Amino acid sequence: TLAADRLPGLTRKQKALAKYISEAEQAKLQVSAKTKAFWQEKQNAVQVLLTVFEESNKGDSELVGDTLRDRQEFYKEAHRSWEVGLKGVLEKVNGEVIGPFSL
């Protein structure tokens, strides 16, 4: 399944981000506050994906609390990205491209 294929990579990404954030907090890495905030934002997003994919074999009725909330947020974000956001980007590109390469 997609979840089984994606879990190892997401787990490695989560560990790497945690390491970078920890090293930045301990002043082992010199990074800006903006970079550290970016890493934390990415870590939160990866955590949501991990939660969703780890529980992908369960139905909505079997999930409770944060796990169910994370799945619903995942579906909402996927809808927003693929069905709403992508449409707008493609329409913009189509309007700006002239010639045989238009969509």
Side-chain angles (χ1 to χ4, degrees), residues 76-87:
K76 191 185 325 179
E77 184 62 34
H79 171 75
R80 189 171 34 247
S81 297
W82 287 100
E83 296 181 25
V84 177
L86 184 61
K87 178 184 176 198

Side-chain angles (χ1 to χ4, degrees), residues 4-101:
D5 291 341
R6 300 296 297 155
L7 272 174
L10 287 171
T11 302
R12 286 191 302 272
K13 190 173 192 176
Q14 179 75 354
K15 288 179 182 177
L17 287 166
K19 178 184 173 203
Y20 296 150
I21 293 168
S22 174
E23 288 179 356
E25 289 173 349
Q26 297 171 8
K28 292 180 182 178
L29 285 177
Q30 294 288 325
V31 296
S32 68
K34 187 176 179 180
T35 299
K36 187 175 164 188
F38 175 77
W39 287 344
Q40 289 171 331
E41 181 182 319
K42 291 299 173 189
Q43 185 182 37
N44 293 339
V46 169
Q47 184 57 50
V48 169
L49 289 175
L50 280 172
T51 302
V52 170
F53 287 169
E54 286 170 347
E55 302 294 335
S56 66
N57 58 344
K58 295 181 180 178
D60 286 350
S61 60
E62 298 175 79
L63 301 176
V64 293
D66 289 343
T67 307
L68 180 60
R69 180 188 50 79
D70 287 346
R71 180 181 284 184
Q72 291 169 341
E73 182 62 31
F74 172 78
Y75 286 145
K76 191 185 325 179
E77 184 62 34
H79 171 75
R80 189 171 34 247
S81 297
W82 287 100
E83 296 181 25
V84 177
L86 184 61
K87 178 184 176 198
V89 169
L90 291 176
E91 287 174 347
K92 181 178 178 184
V93 168
N94 191 42
E96 293 176 0
V97 175
I98 301 171
F101 303 108

